[in-house]
Coordinates of all heavy atoms in Angstrom, one line a residue:
M1 N -59.1 84.3 -46.9 CA -58.7 82.9 -46.5 C -57.5 82.4 -47.4 O -56.6 81.9 -46.9 CB -59.9 82.0 -46.5 CG -59.6 80.7 -46.0 SD -59.2 80.7 -44.2 CE -58.8 79.0 -44.0
I2 N -57.7 82.6 -48.7 CA -56.7 82.1 -49.6 C -55.4 82.8 -49.4 O -54.3 82.2 -49.4 CB -57.2 82.2 -51.1 CG1 -58.4 81.2 -51.3 CG2 -56.1 82.0 -52.0 CD1 -59.1 81.4 -52.6
R3 N -55.5 84.1 -49.0 CA -54.3 84.9 -48.8 C -53.4 84.4 -47.7 O -52.2 84.2 -47.8 CB -54.7 86.4 -48.4 CG -54.6 87.3 -49.6 CD -55.0 88.6 -49.2 NE -53.9 89.5 -49.0 CZ -53.9 90.8 -48.7 NH1 -55.1 91.3 -48.4 NH2 -52.8 91.5 -48.5
I4 N -54.1 83.9 -46.7 CA -53.4 83.3 -45.5 C -52.7 82.1 -45.9 O -51.5 81.8 -45.6 CB -54.3 83.0 -44.4 CG1 -54.9 84.4 -43.8 CG2 -53.6 82.3 -43.3 CD1 -56.1 84.2 -42.9
L5 N -53.3 81.3 -46.7 CA -52.8 80.0 -47.2 C -51.5 80.4 -48.1 O -50.4 79.7 -47.9 CB -53.8 79.2 -48.0 CG -54.8 78.5 -47.2 CD1 -55.8 77.8 -48.2 CD2 -54.1 77.4 -46.4
V6 N -51.6 81.4 -48.9 CA -50.5 81.7 -49.8 C -49.4 82.2 -49.0 O -48.2 81.8 -49.2 CB -51.0 82.8 -50.8 CG1 -49.8 83.3 -51.6 CG2 -52.0 82.2 -51.8
I7 N -49.7 83.0 -48.0 CA -48.6 83.5 -47.1 C -47.9 82.4 -46.4 O -46.7 82.2 -46.3 CB -49.1 84.5 -46.1 CG1 -49.5 85.9 -46.9 CG2 -48.1 84.9 -45.0 CD1 -50.4 86.8 -46.1
L8 N -48.7 81.5 -45.9 CA -48.2 80.3 -45.2 C -47.3 79.5 -46.1 O -46.2 79.0 -45.7 CB -49.3 79.4 -44.6 CG -49.9 79.9 -43.3 CD1 -51.1 79.1 -43.0 CD2 -48.9 79.9 -42.2
L9 N -47.8 79.2 -47.3 CA -47.0 78.5 -48.3 C -45.7 79.2 -48.6 O -44.7 78.5 -48.6 CB -47.9 78.4 -49.6 CG -47.4 77.3 -50.5 CD1 -47.6 75.9 -50.0 CD2 -48.1 77.4 -51.9
G10 N -45.8 80.5 -48.7 CA -44.6 81.3 -49.0 C -43.6 81.1 -47.9 O -42.4 80.9 -48.1
C11 N -44.1 81.2 -46.6 CA -43.2 81.1 -45.5 C -42.6 79.7 -45.5 O -41.4 79.5 -45.2 CB -44.0 81.3 -44.2 SG -44.3 83.0 -43.9
Y12 N -43.4 78.7 -45.8 CA -42.9 77.3 -45.8 C -41.8 77.1 -46.8 O -40.7 76.5 -46.5 CB -44.1 76.4 -46.1 CG -43.7 74.9 -46.1 CD1 -43.3 74.2 -45.0 CD2 -43.7 74.2 -47.3 CE1 -42.9 72.9 -45.0 CE2 -43.4 72.9 -47.4 CZ -43.0 72.2 -46.3 OH -42.6 70.9 -46.3
I13 N -42.0 77.6 -48.0 CA -41.0 77.5 -49.0 C -39.7 78.2 -48.7 O -38.6 77.7 -48.8 CB -41.6 78.0 -50.4 CG1 -42.6 77.0 -50.9 CG2 -40.5 78.2 -51.5 CD1 -43.5 77.6 -52.0
A14 N -39.9 79.5 -48.1 CA -38.7 80.2 -47.7 C -37.9 79.5 -46.6 O -36.7 79.4 -46.7 CB -39.2 81.6 -47.2
W15 N -38.7 78.9 -45.7 CA -38.1 78.2 -44.6 C -37.3 77.0 -45.1 O -36.2 76.7 -44.7 CB -39.2 77.8 -43.6 CG -38.7 76.8 -42.6 CD1 -39.3 75.5 -42.4 CD2 -37.7 76.9 -41.6 NE1 -38.7 74.9 -41.3 CE2 -37.7 75.7 -40.8 CE3 -36.9 78.0 -41.3 CZ2 -36.8 75.6 -39.7 CZ3 -36.0 77.8 -40.2 CH2 -35.9 76.6 -39.4
R16 N -37.9 76.3 -46.1 CA -37.2 75.1 -46.6 C -35.9 75.5 -47.3 O -34.9 74.9 -47.2 CB -38.2 74.4 -47.6 CG -39.2 73.5 -46.9 CD -39.7 72.5 -47.7 NE -38.7 71.5 -48.0 CZ -38.9 70.3 -48.5 NH1 -40.1 69.9 -48.8 NH2 -37.9 69.5 -48.7
L17 N -36.0 76.6 -48.1 CA -34.8 77.1 -48.8 C -33.7 77.5 -47.8 O -32.6 77.1 -48.0 CB -35.2 78.3 -49.7 CG -35.9 78.0 -51.0 CD1 -36.4 79.3 -51.7 CD2 -35.0 77.2 -51.9
I18 N -34.1 78.2 -46.8 CA -33.1 78.6 -45.8 C -32.5 77.4 -45.1 O -31.3 77.3 -45.0 CB -33.7 79.5 -44.8 CG1 -34.1 80.9 -45.5 CG2 -32.8 79.8 -43.6 CD1 -35.0 81.8 -44.7
R19 N -33.3 76.5 -44.8 CA -32.8 75.2 -44.1 C -31.9 74.5 -45.1 O -30.8 74.0 -44.6 CB -34.0 74.3 -43.8 CG -34.5 74.6 -42.3 CD -35.4 73.5 -41.9 NE -34.7 72.3 -41.5 CZ -35.3 71.3 -41.0 NH1 -36.7 71.3 -40.8 NH2 -34.7 70.3 -40.6
G20 N -32.2 74.4 -46.3 CA -31.4 73.7 -47.3 C -30.0 74.5 -47.4 O -29.0 73.8 -47.4
L21 N -30.0 75.8 -47.5 CA -28.8 76.5 -47.6 C -28.0 76.3 -46.4 O -26.7 76.1 -46.4 CB -29.1 78.0 -47.7 CG -29.6 78.4 -49.1 CD1 -30.0 79.9 -49.2 CD2 -28.6 78.2 -50.2
L22 N -28.6 76.4 -45.2 CA -27.8 76.2 -43.9 C -27.2 74.8 -43.9 O -26.0 74.6 -43.5 CB -28.8 76.3 -42.7 CG -29.1 77.8 -42.4 CD1 -30.1 77.8 -41.3 CD2 -27.9 78.6 -42.1
R23 N -28.0 73.8 -44.3 CA -27.4 72.4 -44.3 C -26.3 72.3 -45.2 O -25.3 71.7 -44.9 CB -28.5 71.5 -44.8 CG -29.2 70.9 -43.6 CD -30.1 69.7 -44.0 NE -31.1 69.5 -43.0 CZ -32.1 68.7 -43.2 NH1 -32.3 68.0 -44.4 NH2 -33.0 68.5 -42.3
K24 N -26.4 72.8 -46.5 CA -25.3 72.8 -47.4 C -24.0 73.4 -46.8 O -23.0 72.8 -46.9 CB -25.7 73.5 -48.7 CG -25.9 72.6 -49.9 CD -26.1 73.4 -51.1 CE -26.8 72.6 -52.2 NZ -27.1 73.4 -53.4
K25 N -24.2 74.6 -46.2 CA -23.1 75.3 -45.7 C -22.4 74.4 -44.6 O -21.2 74.2 -44.5 CB -23.6 76.6 -45.1 CG -22.5 77.7 -45.2 CD -23.0 78.9 -44.5 CE -21.9 79.9 -44.3 NZ -22.3 81.0 -43.4
A26 N -23.3 73.9 -43.7 CA -22.7 73.1 -42.6 C -22.0 71.9 -43.1 O -20.9 71.4 -42.6 CB -23.9 72.6 -41.7
R27 N -22.5 71.3 -44.2 CA -21.9 70.1 -44.7 C -20.5 70.4 -45.3 O -19.5 69.7 -45.1 CB -22.8 69.5 -45.9 CG -22.8 68.0 -45.9 CD -23.7 67.5 -47.0 NE -25.1 67.3 -46.5 CZ -26.1 67.1 -47.3 NH1 -25.9 67.1 -48.6 NH2 -27.3 66.8 -46.8
T28 N -20.3 71.5 -45.9 CA -19.0 71.9 -46.5 C -18.1 72.3 -45.4 O -16.9 72.1 -45.5 CB -19.2 73.0 -47.6 OG1 -20.0 74.0 -47.1 CG2 -19.8 72.4 -48.9
E29 N -18.6 72.9 -44.4 CA -17.8 73.4 -43.3 C -17.3 72.2 -42.4 O -16.1 72.2 -42.0 CB -18.5 74.4 -42.4 CG -18.4 75.8 -42.9 CD -19.2 76.7 -42.2 OE1 -19.8 76.4 -41.2 OE2 -19.3 77.9 -42.6
A30 N -18.2 71.2 -42.3 CA -17.8 70.1 -41.4 C -17.1 69.0 -42.2 O -17.4 67.8 -42.0 CB -19.1 69.6 -40.7
M31 N -16.3 69.3 -43.1 CA -15.6 68.3 -43.9 C -14.6 67.6 -43.0 O -13.7 68.3 -42.4 CB -14.9 68.9 -45.1 CG -15.8 69.1 -46.2 SD -16.0 67.7 -47.3 CE -14.6 67.8 -48.3
P32 N -14.6 66.3 -42.9 CA -13.6 65.6 -42.1 C -12.2 65.7 -42.7 O -12.1 65.8 -43.9 CB -14.1 64.2 -42.1 CG -15.0 64.1 -43.3 CD -15.5 65.4 -43.5
E33 N -11.2 65.8 -41.8 CA -9.9 65.9 -42.3 C -9.4 64.7 -43.2 O -8.8 64.9 -44.1 CB -9.0 66.1 -41.2 CG -8.8 67.6 -40.8 CD -7.9 67.8 -39.6 OE1 -6.9 67.1 -39.5 OE2 -8.2 68.7 -38.8
G34 N -9.8 63.6 -42.7 CA -9.5 62.4 -43.5 C -10.5 61.3 -43.2 O -11.0 61.2 -42.1
P35 N -10.8 60.5 -44.2 CA -11.8 59.5 -44.0 C -11.3 58.4 -43.0 O -10.1 58.1 -43.0 CB -12.0 58.8 -45.4 CG -10.8 59.3 -46.2 CD -10.3 60.5 -45.6
R36 N -12.2 57.9 -42.2 CA -11.8 57.0 -41.2 C -11.2 55.8 -41.8 O -10.1 55.4 -41.5 CB -13.1 56.6 -40.4 CG -13.0 57.1 -39.0 CD -14.2 56.5 -38.3 NE -14.2 56.8 -36.9 CZ -15.1 56.2 -36.0 NH1 -16.0 55.4 -36.5 NH2 -15.1 56.5 -34.8
G37 N -11.9 55.0 -42.6 CA -11.4 53.9 -43.3 C -10.7 54.3 -44.5 O -11.3 54.9 -45.4
R38 N -9.4 54.0 -44.6 CA -8.6 54.4 -45.8 C -9.1 53.6 -47.0 O -9.4 52.4 -46.9 CB -7.2 54.2 -45.5 CG -6.6 55.2 -44.5 CD -5.1 55.0 -44.4 NE -4.5 56.3 -44.6 CZ -3.2 56.4 -44.9 NH1 -2.5 55.4 -45.1 NH2 -2.7 57.6 -45.0
I39 N -9.2 54.4 -48.1 CA -9.7 53.8 -49.3 C -8.6 53.3 -50.2 O -8.9 52.7 -51.3 CB -10.7 54.9 -50.0 CG1 -11.6 55.6 -49.1 CG2 -11.5 54.1 -51.1 CD1 -12.2 56.8 -49.7
D40 N -7.4 53.5 -49.8 CA -6.3 53.0 -50.6 C -6.1 51.6 -50.5 O -5.1 51.0 -51.1 CB -5.0 53.8 -50.3 CG -4.6 53.7 -48.9 OD1 -5.2 52.9 -48.2 OD2 -3.6 54.3 -48.5
D41 N -6.9 50.9 -49.7 CA -6.8 49.4 -49.6 C -7.5 48.7 -50.8 O -8.5 48.0 -50.5 CB -7.3 49.0 -48.2 CG -6.7 47.7 -47.7 OD1 -5.8 47.3 -48.4 OD2 -7.2 47.1 -46.8
V42 N -7.0 48.8 -51.9 CA -7.6 48.3 -53.1 C -7.1 46.9 -53.3 O -5.9 46.6 -53.1 CB -7.3 49.1 -54.3 CG1 -8.1 48.6 -55.5 CG2 -7.5 50.6 -54.1
M43 N -8.0 45.9 -53.7 CA -7.6 44.6 -53.9 C -7.2 44.5 -55.4 O -8.0 44.9 -56.3 CB -8.8 43.6 -53.6 CG -9.2 43.6 -52.2 SD -7.9 43.2 -51.0 CE -7.9 41.4 -51.2
V44 N -6.0 44.0 -55.6 CA -5.5 43.8 -56.9 C -5.1 42.3 -57.2 O -4.6 41.7 -56.2 CB -4.2 44.7 -57.2 CG1 -3.9 44.8 -58.6 CG2 -4.5 46.1 -56.6
K45 N -5.3 41.9 -58.4 CA -5.0 40.5 -58.7 C -3.5 40.3 -59.0 O -2.9 41.1 -59.8 CB -5.8 40.1 -59.9 CG -5.9 38.5 -60.0 CD -6.8 38.2 -61.2 CE -6.9 36.7 -61.3 NZ -7.7 36.3 -62.5
D46 N -2.9 39.4 -58.3 CA -1.5 39.0 -58.6 C -1.5 38.3 -59.9 O -2.1 37.2 -60.1 CB -1.1 38.1 -57.5 CG 0.4 37.6 -57.6 OD1 0.8 37.5 -58.8 OD2 1.0 37.2 -56.6
P47 N -0.8 38.9 -61.0 CA -0.8 38.2 -62.3 C -0.1 36.9 -62.4 O -0.3 36.2 -63.3 CB -0.2 39.3 -63.2 CG 0.7 40.1 -62.2 CD 0.0 40.1 -60.9
Q48 N 0.7 36.6 -61.4 CA 1.4 35.4 -61.4 C 0.6 34.2 -60.9 O 0.4 33.2 -61.6 CB 2.7 35.5 -60.6 CG 3.6 34.3 -60.5 CD 4.0 33.8 -61.9 OE1 4.2 34.5 -62.7 NE2 4.2 32.5 -62.0
C49 N 0.0 34.3 -59.7 CA -0.7 33.2 -59.1 C -2.2 33.4 -59.0 O -3.0 32.5 -58.7 CB -0.1 32.9 -57.7 SG -0.5 34.2 -56.5
G50 N -2.7 34.7 -59.3 CA -4.0 34.9 -59.4 C -4.7 35.3 -58.1 O -5.9 35.3 -58.0
T51 N -3.9 35.4 -57.0 CA -4.4 35.7 -55.7 C -4.7 37.3 -55.7 O -4.1 38.0 -56.3 CB -3.4 35.4 -54.6 OG1 -3.0 34.1 -54.8 CG2 -4.0 35.6 -53.2
Y52 N -5.8 37.6 -54.9 CA -6.1 39.0 -54.7 C -5.3 39.5 -53.5 O -5.4 38.9 -52.4 CB -7.6 39.2 -54.6 CG -8.3 39.2 -55.9 CD1 -8.7 38.0 -56.5 CD2 -8.4 40.4 -56.7 CE1 -9.3 38.1 -57.8 CE2 -9.0 40.5 -57.9 CZ -9.4 39.2 -58.5 OH -10.0 39.3 -59.7
V53 N -4.6 40.6 -53.7 CA -3.8 41.2 -52.6 C -4.2 42.6 -52.4 O -4.5 43.3 -53.4 CB -2.3 41.1 -53.1 CG1 -1.4 41.2 -51.8 CG2 -2.0 40.0 -53.9
A54 N -4.2 43.0 -51.2 CA -4.4 44.4 -50.9 C -3.2 45.2 -51.4 O -2.0 44.8 -51.2 CB -4.5 44.7 -49.4
R55 N -3.4 46.3 -52.1 CA -2.3 47.0 -52.8 C -1.2 47.3 -51.9 O 0.0 47.3 -52.2 CB -2.9 48.2 -53.5 CG -2.0 48.8 -54.6 CD -2.7 50.0 -55.2 NE -1.7 50.8 -56.0 CZ -0.7 51.6 -55.5 NH1 -0.7 51.7 -54.2 NH2 0.1 52.2 -56.2
R56 N -1.5 47.8 -50.7 CA -0.5 48.3 -49.8 C 0.2 47.1 -49.1 O 1.3 47.3 -48.6 CB -1.0 49.3 -48.8 CG -2.1 48.7 -47.9 CD -2.5 49.7 -46.8 NE -3.7 49.2 -46.1 CZ -4.3 49.8 -45.1 NH1 -3.8 51.0 -44.8 NH2 -5.3 49.4 -44.6
D57 N -0.4 46.0 -49.1 CA 0.3 44.8 -48.5 C 1.1 44.1 -49.5 O 2.1 43.3 -49.2 CB -0.8 43.8 -47.9 CG -1.5 44.4 -46.8 OD1 -0.9 45.3 -46.1 OD2 -2.6 44.0 -46.4
G58 N 0.8 44.3 -50.8 CA 1.6 43.5 -51.8 C 2.8 44.2 -52.3 O 3.2 45.2 -51.8
I59 N 3.5 43.6 -53.2 CA 4.7 44.1 -53.8 C 4.3 44.7 -55.1 O 3.9 44.1 -56.0 CB 5.8 43.0 -53.9 CG1 6.3 42.6 -52.5 CG2 6.9 43.5 -54.8 CD1 6.6 41.2 -52.4
V60 N 4.5 46.0 -55.2 CA 4.2 46.8 -56.3 C 5.3 46.9 -57.3 O 6.4 47.3 -56.9 CB 3.7 48.2 -55.9 CG1 3.2 49.0 -57.1 CG2 2.5 48.1 -54.9
E61 N 5.0 46.5 -58.5 CA 6.1 46.6 -59.5 C 5.6 47.5 -60.7 O 4.5 47.2 -61.2 CB 6.3 45.1 -60.1 CG 7.4 45.1 -61.2 CD 8.8 45.3 -60.7 OE1 9.1 45.0 -59.5 OE2 9.6 45.8 -61.4
K62 N 6.4 48.5 -61.0 CA 5.9 49.4 -62.0 C 6.5 48.9 -63.3 O 7.7 48.8 -63.5 CB 6.4 50.8 -61.7 CG 5.4 51.5 -60.8 CD 5.8 52.8 -60.3 CE 4.8 53.3 -59.2 NZ 5.3 54.5 -58.6
T63 N 5.6 48.6 -64.3 CA 6.0 48.2 -65.6 C 5.6 49.1 -66.6 O 4.7 50.0 -66.3 CB 5.4 46.8 -65.9 OG1 4.0 47.0 -66.0 CG2 5.7 45.8 -64.8
P64 N 6.2 49.1 -67.9 CA 5.7 50.0 -68.9 C 4.2 49.9 -69.1 O 3.6 50.9 -69.6 CB 6.5 49.6 -70.1 CG 7.7 48.8 -69.6 CD 7.3 48.2 -68.3
E65 N 3.6 48.8 -68.9 CA 2.2 48.6 -69.2 C 1.3 49.1 -68.1 O 0.2 49.3 -68.2 CB 1.9 47.1 -69.4 CG 2.6 46.5 -70.7 CD 3.4 45.4 -70.3 OE1 3.0 44.5 -69.5 OE2 4.6 45.3 -70.9
G66 N 1.9 49.2 -66.9 CA 1.2 49.7 -65.8 C 1.7 49.1 -64.5 O 2.8 48.5 -64.5
E67 N 1.0 49.3 -63.4 CA 1.4 48.9 -62.1 C 0.8 47.4 -61.8 O -0.3 47.2 -62.1 CB 0.8 49.8 -61.0 CG 1.8 50.2 -60.0 CD 1.2 51.2 -59.1 OE1 0.1 51.0 -58.6 OE2 1.9 52.3 -58.9
L68 N 1.7 46.6 -61.4 CA 1.4 45.2 -61.0 C 1.6 45.0 -59.6 O 2.5 45.5 -59.0 CB 2.2 44.2 -61.8 CG 2.0 44.2 -63.3 CD1 3.0 43.4 -64.1 CD2 0.6 43.7 -63.7
V69 N 0.7 44.3 -58.9 CA 0.9 44.0 -57.5 C 1.0 42.5 -57.3 O 0.2 41.7 -57.8 CB -0.3 44.6 -56.7 CG1 -0.1 44.3 -55.2 CG2 -0.4 46.0 -57.0
F70 N 2.0 42.1 -56.6 CA 2.2 40.7 -56.3 C 2.0 40.3 -54.9 O 2.3 41.2 -54.1 CB 3.6 40.3 -56.8 CG 3.9 40.5 -58.3 CD1 4.4 41.7 -58.7 CD2 3.5 39.5 -59.2 CE1 4.6 41.9 -60.1 CE2 3.7 39.7 -60.5 CZ 4.2 40.9 -61.0
C71 N 1.6 39.1 -54.6 CA 1.4 38.7 -53.2 C 2.7 38.5 -52.5 O 2.9 38.6 -51.3 CB 0.5 37.5 -53.1 SG 1.3 36.0 -53.8
S72 N 3.8 38.2 -53.2 CA 5.1 37.8 -52.6 C 6.2 38.2 -53.6 O 6.0 38.3 -54.8 CB 5.2 36.4 -52.2 OG 5.2 35.6 -53.4
R73 N 7.4 38.2 -53.1 CA 8.6 38.5 -54.0 C 8.8 37.3 -54.9 O 9.2 37.5 -56.1 CB 9.9 38.5 -53.1 CG 10.1 40.0 -52.6 CD 11.4 40.1 -52.0 NE 11.7 41.4 -51.4 CZ 12.8 41.7 -50.8 NH1 13.8 40.8 -50.7 NH2 13.0 42.9 -50.4
E74 N 8.5 36.1 -54.5 CA 8.6 35.0 -55.3 C 7.8 35.1 -56.6 O 8.3 35.0 -57.7 CB 8.1 33.7 -54.6 CG 9.2 32.8 -54.1 CD 8.7 31.7 -53.4 OE1 7.7 31.0 -53.9 OE2 9.2 31.3 -52.3
C75 N 6.5 35.5 -56.4 CA 5.6 35.7 -57.6 C 6.2 36.8 -58.5 O 6.1 36.7 -59.6 CB 4.2 36.1 -57.1 SG 3.3 34.6 -56.5
R76 N 6.7 37.9 -57.9 CA 7.2 39.0 -58.7 C 8.3 38.5 -59.6 O 8.4 38.8 -60.8 CB 7.6 40.1 -57.8 CG 8.2 41.3 -58.4 CD 8.6 42.3 -57.5 NE 9.6 43.2 -58.0 CZ 11.0 43.0 -57.8 NH1 11.4 42.0 -57.2 NH2 11.8 43.8 -58.3
E77 N 9.2 37.8 -58.9 CA 10.4 37.3 -59.7 C 10.1 36.3 -60.8 O 10.5 36.4 -61.8 CB 11.4 36.7 -58.7 CG 12.4 37.8 -58.2 CD 13.0 37.4 -56.8 OE1 13.2 36.2 -56.6 OE2 13.1 38.4 -56.0
K78 N 9.1 35.4 -60.4 CA 8.7 34.5 -61.4 C 8.1 35.2 -62.6 O 8.4 34.8 -63.7 CB 7.7 33.5 -60.7 CG 8.2 32.3 -60.1 CD 7.2 31.4 -59.7 CE 7.6 30.5 -58.6 NZ 6.5 29.7 -58.0
Y79 N 7.2 36.1 -62.3 CA 6.5 36.8 -63.3 C 7.5 37.6 -64.2 O 7.4 37.5 -65.4 CB 5.5 37.8 -62.8 CG 4.6 38.5 -63.8 CD1 3.5 37.9 -64.3 CD2 5.0 39.8 -64.2 CE1 2.8 38.5 -65.3 CE2 4.3 40.4 -65.2 CZ 3.2 39.8 -65.7 OH 2.4 40.4 -66.6
L80 N 8.4 38.3 -63.6 CA 9.4 39.1 -64.4 C 10.3 38.2 -65.2 O 10.6 38.4 -66.3 CB 10.2 39.9 -63.4 CG 9.5 41.1 -62.7 CD1 10.3 41.8 -61.8 CD2 8.8 42.0 -63.7
A81 N 10.6 37.0 -64.6 CA 11.4 36.1 -65.4 C 10.7 35.6 -66.6 O 11.2 35.5 -67.7 CB 11.8 34.9 -64.5
G82 N 9.4 35.3 -66.4 CA 8.6 34.9 -67.5 C 8.4 36.0 -68.6 O 8.5 35.7 -69.8
Q83 N 8.3 37.2 -68.1 CA 8.2 38.3 -69.1 C 9.4 38.4 -70.0 O 9.4 38.6 -71.1 CB 8.0 39.6 -68.3 CG 6.6 39.8 -67.7 CD 5.5 40.0 -68.8 OE1 4.8 39.2 -69.1 NE2 5.5 41.3 -69.3
K84 N 10.6 38.3 -69.3 CA 11.9 38.4 -69.9 C 12.0 37.3 -71.0 O 12.4 37.6 -72.1 CB 13.0 38.4 -69.0 CG 13.4 39.7 -68.5 CD 14.6 39.6 -67.5 CE 14.8 40.9 -66.7 NZ 15.7 40.7 -65.6
R85 N 11.6 36.1 -70.6 CA 11.7 35.0 -71.5 C 10.9 35.3 -72.8 O 11.3 35.0 -73.9 CB 11.2 33.8 -70.8 CG 12.2 32.6 -71.0 CD 11.7 31.4 -70.2 NE 12.1 31.6 -68.8 CZ 11.5 30.9 -67.8 NH1 10.5 30.2 -68.0 NH2 12.0 31.1 -66.5
S86 N 9.6 35.8 -72.6 CA 8.8 36.0 -73.7 C 9.3 37.1 -74.6 O 9.0 37.2 -75.8 CB 7.4 36.3 -73.3 OG 7.3 37.5 -72.5
E87 N 10.0 38.0 -73.9 CA 10.5 39.2 -74.7 C 11.7 38.7 -75.7 O 11.7 39.1 -76.8 CB 11.0 40.3 -73.8 CG 10.0 41.3 -73.4 CD 10.5 42.3 -72.4 OE1 11.7 42.5 -72.3 OE2 9.7 42.7 -71.6
G88 N 12.6 38.0 -75.0 CA 13.8 37.6 -75.8 C 13.5 36.3 -76.6 O 13.5 36.2 -77.7
Ligands
LIG101 ZN1 1.3 35.4 -55.9

C-alpha cells in the first residue's frame, strides 16, 4: 500500500517538474516583441516651474549635471539664464 503511495507521489513530483519546465520554456519563447504600453513615458519635474512633464513631451536639455526636462521653451530659457547668472 505504501509503495503505491510513494509511486504516486513520485509521479506527481515528476509531473510538476515537467510542467514547470514546460512553462518556463513557453514563457521565454513567447516573449513579446515590445511592451504594449511604452515605459519611456517617465514623469520628470521641470526645475524651473516645478511642473511634472512626460519626458518625451517635454524639452530635454543635457547639462553637465544631468538631463533636465522642461515643460516649455520659456522655462528652459529662463532656467538656463538663471544658471548663467549664478555662474558668472
Ligand atoms: Zn515649466
Side-chain angles (χ1 to χ4, degrees):
M1 187 62 189
I2 288 169
R3 262 180 102 181
I4 294 166
L5 280 176
V6 169
I7 289 162
L8 281 173
L9 194 71
C11 282
Y12 177 69
I13 289 166
W15 169 240
R16 282 203 67 166
L17 282 173
I18 289 163
R19 268 189 81 174
L21 286 173
L22 284 176
R23 264 194 202 168
K24 248 187 199 171
K25 212 184 166 192
R27 219 178 267 168
T28 47
E29 272 174 7
M31 279 276 275
E33 272 179 36
R36 249 190 173 184
R38 289 188 127 201
I39 315 167
D40 59 3
D41 203 10
V42 188
M43 298 302 281
V44 192
K45 198 176 178 185
D46 178 333
Q48 178 59 32
C49 66
T51 308
Y52 279 89
V53 202
R55 196 179 167 281
R56 60 175 171 181
D57 291 338
I59 288 143
V60 180
E61 179 73 26
K62 277 174 187 171
T63 67
E65 295 123 44
E67 224 174 50
L68 294 170
V69 181
F70 299 93
C71 67
S72 65
R73 273 192 182 178
E74 255 180 45
C75 278
R76 176 179 157 268
E77 270 154 37
K78 270 187 202 168
Y79 183 84
L80 291 178
Q83 286 288 102
K84 266 181 197 168
R85 226 173 280 155
S86 64
E87 269 173 27

